Amino acid sequence: MAVLVTGGAGYIGSHMVLALHDAGEEAVVLDDLSTGFPWAVPDDVPLVEGDIADAALVAKIIAEYDVTAVAHFAARIVVPESVADPLGYYLANTVKSRALIEAVVTAGIRDFVFSSTAAVYGNTTVSPVPEDAPLAPVSPYGRSKLMTEWMLADAAQAHGLRYVVLRYFNVAGADPAGRSGQSTPHATHLIKVACQAALGLRPGLDVFGTDYPTPDGSCVRDYIQVTDLAEAHLAALAHLRGGGASGIYNCGYGRGYSVLEVAEAVKRISGVDFPVRLAPRRAGDPASIVADVRRIRADLGWVPTRADLDGIVMQALAWERELLAREGA
Ligand SMILES: NC(=O)c1ccc[n+]([C@@H]2O[C@H](COP(=O)([O-])OP(=O)(O)OC[C@H]3O[C@@H](n4cnc5c(N)ncnc54)[C@H](O)[C@@H]3O)[C@@H](O)[C@H]2O)c1
Ligand SMILES: O=c1ccn([C@@H]2O[C@H](COP(=O)(O)OP(=O)(O)O[C@H]3O[C@H](CO)[C@H](O)[C@H](O)[C@H]3O)[C@@H](O)[C@H]2O)c(=O)[nH]1
């Protein structure tokens, strides 16, 4: 009995593989290594290099490893890139997910957990934002993910598939044991960028917008630690295996931090007073997006244990140092 983790060599998927591994569960990873890394998958977890849209390959993996559930992380995830290459994003995230879902349905697998995003809410003005808030994604990335949510709902209705959609807010931090972390060289995520500035890998941090209607004028986000997020997936799997109904859940902490607060935390923890430049707004950024997390806590019994910005920053800094050391080695 194994869980098929698509995109398991990537940032969040690799933390899911570690969480499964640590819980004594069998996993098999399917990843095309377009943005993932083979070293991110533990040696004793099988890594199959290939495409989620390769139906014959997916069928072979399901049969060979006795797959009983799927956690689907594989995707392209860069919002501005999705604006420049929408058709590429609809192919990677929607069309290929369709093929995967079909292969899963054909194989008679019942339980499916899908990585969605707070981007499906678009520029929401509701805070905290509940799952039943209006869905108005403003990028092809967000739309490509929302369409997959809809496909899952329709496939569940027609074919008896059961799913949990997890809408992640801002994922950050790294494995507390130092086994994985955000490793994409040119990632644009705030905490990673700030940590790179603290380590002198960037000249400083640009704060995109200081005139938002927020307490200090910079954008507010709900940062969720990546291992807590992986554990939300374990809770989702347990829910489905126990006969729980399909559902959609926000993944965050329900607490926001501003960009300036994050910059301060990284400075304080690193002990480096790197330059922080107040820069113009970045297109498409909502002023504030914080999750309403009552539903996931009530239905899945998920209890995060790492909801601490300082801890997240410490892990992110430690991971950047690890990447540097590997480069130098
Ligand atoms: N990082 C975030 O803040 C964030 C926020 C919300 C949602 N998500 C979602 O979480 C999931 C994982 O994101 P991540 O940050 O770990 O990204 P990532 O780029 O590190 O991981 C994606 C993985 O999928 C693999 N992949 C891509 N296309 C594939 C294909 N066709 N076949 C097989 N493998 C393929 C990549 O090689 C990579 O290992 C994505 O679905 C993303 O939309 C991420
Ligand atoms: O160098 C930087 C980088 C980011 N920011 C700001 O920091 C905040 C967080 O930005 P990130 O790029 O870290 O994250 P986003 O909120 O843009 O995006 C996240 O949430 C989205 C949903 O809203 C998607 O899911 C996306 O994948 C995920 O990374 C934003 O206000 C952004 O403008 C800066 O000021 N300077």
Side-chain angles (χ1 to χ4, degrees):
M1 251 178 62
V3 178
L4 170 59
V5 183
T6 75
Y11 171 44
I12 306 170
S14 67
H15 288 81
M16 174 62 173
V17 172
L18 290 172
L20 286 165
H21 195 254
D22 292 349
E25 292 228 25
E26 300 286 323
V28 52
V29 171
L30 172 60
D31 198 300
D32 68 1
L33 300 180
S34 51
T35 57
F37 303 92
W39 55 254
V41 179
D43 287 342
D44 53 350
V45 173
L47 164 62
V48 179
E49 187 176 344
D51 195 313
I52 55 165
D54 183 340
L57 179 62
V58 172
K60 183 168 175 280
I61 294 170
I62 289 172
E64 190 173 334
Y65 294 96
D66 189 16
V67 170
T68 55
V70 176
H72 175 32
F73 294 85
R76 291 176 69 186
I77 69 153
V78 183
V79 175
E81 198 177 82
S82 80
V83 176
D85 179 21
L87 300 180
Y89 267 69
Y90 290 122
L91 173 62
N93 295 352
T94 314
V95 176
K96 291 192 176 188
S97 289
R98 185 213 154 276
L100 175 71
I101 294 166
E102 183 170 56
V104 164
V105 165
T106 303
I109 289 176
R110 201 190 54 178
D111 300 336
F112 196 100
V113 182
F114 173 58
S115 306
S116 189
T117 164
V120 297
Y121 298 116
N123 291 316
T124 178
T125 50
V126 189
S127 188
V129 59
E131 288 85 352
D132 54 6
L135 301 174
V138 293
S139 64
Y141 168 71
R143 292 188 195 110
S144 71
K145 288 292 197 171
L146 182 54
M147 283 195 266
T148 304
E149 290 193 12
W150 287 337
M151 283 194 295
L152 276 174
D154 291 340
Q157 196 73 33
H159 304 298
L161 183 74
R162 282 185 308 114
Y163 66 86
V164 165
V165 164
L166 296 176
R167 291 181 181 155
Y168 313 162
F169 281 61
N170 287 60
V171 189
D175 174 42
R179 295 168 293 179
S180 193
Q182 168 59 267
S183 309
T184 317
H186 304 294
T188 54
H189 295 99
L190 174 65
I191 293 181
K192 184 172 177 88
V193 170
C195 289
Q196 290 178 331
L199 296 181
L201 300 170
R202 293 178 187 251
L205 174 71
D206 283 342
V207 176
F208 299 139
T210 50
D211 58 351
Y212 284 100
T214 57
D216 66 20
S218 65
C219 288
V220 171
R221 295 288 183 274
D222 187 343
Y223 295 93
I224 175 172
Q225 199 276 346
V226 63
T227 310
D228 272 351
L229 178 60
E231 289 177 357
H233 291 71
L234 296 187
L237 276 178
H239 168 84
L240 289 172
R241 286 167 172 167
S246 296
I248 297 178
Y249 298 96
N250 284 340
C251 293
Y253 294 139
R255 155 83 157 98
Y257 289 93
S258 73
V259 176
L260 290 170
E261 284 175 321
V262 169
E264 275 315 306
V266 176
K267 283 187 179 189
R268 178 165 43 75
I269 287 161
S270 65
V272 181
D273 187 16
F274 55 85
V276 171
R277 200 175 71 90
L278 306 184
R281 289 184 179 197
R282 188 176 70 175
D285 277 340
S288 176
I289 180 153
V290 174
D292 181 330
V293 289
R294 283 174 296 181
R295 188 188 283 183
I296 187 169
R297 285 174 176 253
D299 288 9
L300 303 189
W302 174 63
V303 182
T305 56
R306 302 169 188 85
D308 165 42
L309 182 65
D310 284 9
I312 289 173
V313 168
M314 281 177 214
Q315 293 155 12
L317 266 172
W319 184 250
E320 286 307 316
R321 290 196 177 104
E322 166 71 21
L323 289 176
L324 264 180
R326 288 185 188 188
E327 250 175 46

